Amino acid sequence: MPWIAWFCSLTGHHYFVEVAEEFIEDDFNLTGLNSIVPFYKEALEMILDLEPEEESAKVPDVSIVEASAEQLYGLIHQRYIVTRQGLQQMADKYQQGHFGTCPRTFCQSINVVPCGRYDLPGVETVKLYCPNCQDIYSPPSSRYQNLDGAYFGTTFAHMLFHVYPELVPTITPKIYQPAIYGFKISEYSRCGPRMQWLRTKVDPNLLDVRGNFVGDLHEDRN
């Protein structure tokens, strides 16, 4: 089994897609990664299933190269999934529900996609982005608690729905309203709801190209 297929089949790696070898073999796509990943050359040889050169054989411990190969593949993966081919592969996994569903009740089990809050490794683990409530959540399974969020990056989740707008959910927005004995709690109450406008979606047809309400623009002109 090729290293890439083996790596993506490991427990906790199901968020990954298999990066095309042609993409990895193009040096332009890997620009700058040699300054981030230790034992870069040896790690790249491992990913591509190449025979190590004589200099590579001097590495003191194979486990060091394995760790570098995982990090290198993750950072390559971050770049690959924002390409046309990578986006299509991730879109297929999203539609099949491979990444799970949103834990928010009113999102009605909408599928989520993995994302990171940082593009550099070693900062934070992977999160799940919901295209309906547009919020992020921690994966429910502990098997993903060590998966670096940088392997998915800050761009992918939003580019996916920009390139494939048909994947954006069309659920009618609904916000939970706290109540006591059937009476709604005022937002001015100390224990009342806060900032509900954050989850209120605006019909894009009511906005101009600058994001202003069309009605407000007409009122200003009058």
Side-chain angles (χ1 to χ4, degrees):
M1 177 185 293
W3 187 93
I4 295 176
W6 167 80
F7 178 80
C8 294
S9 67
L10 294 176
T11 300
H13 288 188
H14 300 144
Y15 290 172
F16 287 106
V17 294
E18 295 187 21
V19 178
E21 289 192 5
E22 296 78 14
F23 182 87
I24 302 176
E25 291 170 347
D26 188 337
D27 292 338
F28 178 78
N29 296 327
L30 312 185
T31 301
L33 295 184
N34 59 341
S35 63
I36 300 175
V37 181
F39 297 104
Y40 170 83
K41 184 179 179 181
E42 294 78 7
L44 186 59
E45 290 173 346
M46 180 175 287
I47 291 173
L48 294 175
D49 298 304
L50 301 177
E51 288 295 329
E53 298 181 1
E54 293 183 3
E55 296 181 358
S56 301
K58 298 179 182 179
V59 178
D61 192 346
V62 178
S63 62
I64 298 177
V65 180
E66 291 176 345
S68 294
E70 177 177 349
Q71 186 181 74
L72 178 58
Y73 184 82
L75 294 176
I76 293 174
H77 184 267
Q78 177 200 123
R79 299 181 178 188
Y80 176 72
I81 58 177
V82 294
T83 65
R84 179 178 298 180
Q85 184 177 355
L87 281 169
Q88 182 60 62
Q89 289 177 242
M90 292 295 277
D92 291 340
K93 290 176 76 75
Y94 167 76
Q95 289 180 295
Q96 295 169 14
H98 284 194
F99 307 125
T101 58
C102 181
R104 183 171 178 267
T105 299
F106 290 135
C107 284
Q108 301 177 29
S109 298
I110 282 290
N111 289 341
V112 294
V113 292
C115 70
R117 293 204 301 153
Y118 304 92
D119 290 321
L120 291 177
V123 182
E124 189 177 64
T125 56
V126 67
K127 304 301 177 188
L128 298 175
Y129 171 77
C130 173
N132 186 60
C133 63
Q134 299 181 355
D135 212 338
I136 59 173
Y137 303 88
S138 296
S141 176
S142 60
R143 70 180 62 178
Y144 303 110
Q145 64 183 4
N146 294 321
L147 189 59
D148 202 309
Y151 298 163
F152 303 90
T154 59
T155 299
F156 156 69
H158 312 293
M159 181 174 287
L160 177 69
F161 297 105
H162 179 76
V163 175
Y164 298 100
E166 67 275 12
L167 297 181
V168 177
T170 56
I171 295 177
T172 302
K174 187 175 182 181
I175 302 172
Y176 175 71
Q177 177 62 59
I180 296 178
Y181 294 122
F183 295 97
K184 295 180 180 179
I185 300 177
S186 170
E187 61 180 8
Y188 297 106
S189 170
R190 181 174 297 179
C191 59
R194 296 289 184 270
M195 298 187 295
Q196 294 199 29
W197 59 272
L198 284 175
R199 294 195 185 277
T200 302
K201 286 188 176 181
V202 178
D203 186 345
N205 295 321
L206 300 178
L207 304 175
D208 61 17
V209 293
R210 296 182 178 180
N212 299 317
F213 280 102
V214 177
D216 293 345
L217 183 61
H218 290 317
E219 291 178 3
D220 292 342
R221 289 180 177 177
N222 293 333

